[in-house]
Amino acid sequence: MQKISRRQAYHTEAKKLIAIALPILLAQVAQNSMGLVDTIMAGRVSAADMAAISVGASIWFPLVLFGHGLLLALPPTISYLNGSGKRNRIAHQVRQGIWIVIGSCIPLGLLIYHSDIVILSMNMEPKLADITIRYLHAMLFGLPAYLLMINFRCLNDGIAKTKPAMVITLFGLLLNIPLNYIFIYGKLGLPAFGAVGCGIATAIVNWVMCLMMIAYSKYARNQRDLNVFEGIIEKPNFATLSKLLRLGFPIAVALCCEVALFALTSLFLSPLGTNMVASHQIALNTSSFIFMLPMSLGMAATILVGQRLGEGSPAKAKLVSYSALMVGLSLTVITALITVVLREQIAMIFVKDANVIAMAGSLLILAALYQFSDTVQVVSGGVLRGYKDTQAILYITLFCYWVIGMPVGYTLAMTDLIMPHLGAKGFWIGFVVSLTAAALLLVYRMHKIQAQTDDVLLTKLENLK
């Protein structure tokens, strides 16, 4: 009976996790599809316009993800307050989040605005440099809207309402297509802006999604008792901001470092030829797409773990943790099998060159292996965020990516120290090694935090006797 009830408990938590994770996944797919639509539509103008979006994105995403990461302190904080019956304190966290948006927009905006310094130092073609700079300047107008939208999305995620973000992001994708058409190709009497038109369209879409998210948060019945918009202009509370930044800063740095790792890998491979870079990019794009599955599950785990801890139930928080890992690994078996079996067909979606397809196929086998470690590390990282243990995530990921992954990958890919250099394969072996180390260390940390939580609970119970 005990085994059956335990199995049922895992099944119940797994269903809750999937219900929260699925809308997050669809929202992520829609968000990433906007970039894909931009690339395809700009590519019809010229190769320079398409390349400008690629170069611009390599500057835009690390910076914006830093601001996004700072705000990811909100979901575990809000879910804990929601679970502990302290919903009256949620509004304060959201209002202080607005100050994080304002505070991060200023330095991030200045870095994006002055990105021409970096772009002009890269010795790229003058036309490409000019388009990239103007594209980033257009995108800049949407920066405050994007971060403000994330602030209110974190409010909804924190109370386990993930469907609004899904619906709003899907609407944003649908709006992005006609706006791109108007601004890229010069319709309705407007000049043809090319890739810069993508930046204008994205900025407008960000403001529309931001206003929709704020409107939902204001008028949704499930949030009326929060009174977020009563006295929305609130003075900065440095105690609250300090707590949020202590949680969010490690997440922000970890996100930046992860993006930088993959960006640097592409730069190192560039002297080895376009076929090598293309095959690496195919494996990277495929992995990034599949990664949205465990990432969504990790975000759902953050919400539910925080909620269970708020309810004063560390046993249920532990149950959520292992349910998330079980669901994640079950899905990974399927995605890894698809990646291996259909590796050539996947590569053929991107290119027609037989050599690139063969090279990408061999990398996709490593990418399939990489998915298991990646799932464990992102889900256990999500669990640790639920426990508000974000510094450990930062230290572990920095160590595994940059002390283990990059040196191992570079040595195997670019040097003959251990064996004849392997090119892109070497870096992918480095990814597998570093992510496996990260997965093991994060799971160990998760065990340790859960044991500490149990010890605290036992101490409290002893004191009550």
Side-chain angles (χ1 to χ4, degrees), residues 272-292:
L272 301 182
T274 53
N275 284 0
M276 185 72 73
V277 175
S279 63
H280 169 69
Q281 201 62 39
I282 289 166
L284 197 58
N285 286 346
T286 305
S287 294
S288 298
F289 184 79
I290 293 170
F291 176 71
M292 288 189 283

Side-chain angles (χ1 to χ4, degrees), residues 400-430:
C400 293
Y401 290 165
W402 292 98
V403 178
I404 298 176
M406 182 52 78
V408 169
Y410 185 86
T411 302
L412 293 173
M414 309 299 291
T415 73
D416 300 327
L417 287 175
I418 299 173
M419 60 180 74
H421 69 273
L422 299 173
K425 277 186 185 177
F427 278 117
W428 280 88
I429 291 168

Side-chain angles (χ1 to χ4, degrees), residues 48-65:
D49 285 86
M50 185 169 71
I53 289 176
S54 177
V55 175
S58 68
I59 294 170
W60 171 266
F61 279 117
L63 294 172
V64 172
L65 280 176

Side-chain angles (χ1 to χ4, degrees), residues 290-311:
I290 293 170
F291 176 71
M292 288 189 283
L293 271 168
M295 182 179 68
S296 303
L297 202 59
M299 291 171 76
T302 300
I303 295 162
L304 274 185
V305 167
Q307 196 169 307
R308 297 294 178 261
L309 291 172
E311 292 167 358

Side-chain angles (χ1 to χ4, degrees), residues 45-104:
V45 178
S46 73
D49 285 86
M50 185 169 71
I53 289 176
S54 177
V55 175
S58 68
I59 294 170
W60 171 266
F61 279 117
L63 294 172
V64 172
L65 280 176
F66 184 86
H68 189 144
L70 292 176
L71 293 166
L72 287 179
L74 287 169
T77 304
I78 291 169
S79 62
Y80 182 88
L81 294 171
N82 188 48
S84 60
K86 297 174 182 175
R87 283 171 66 91
N88 60 308
R89 291 171 57 185
I90 290 174
H92 173 64
Q93 306 295 324
V94 178
R95 291 170 193 156
Q96 294 302 307
I98 294 171
W99 286 109
I100 294 176
V101 170
I102 295 168
S104 58

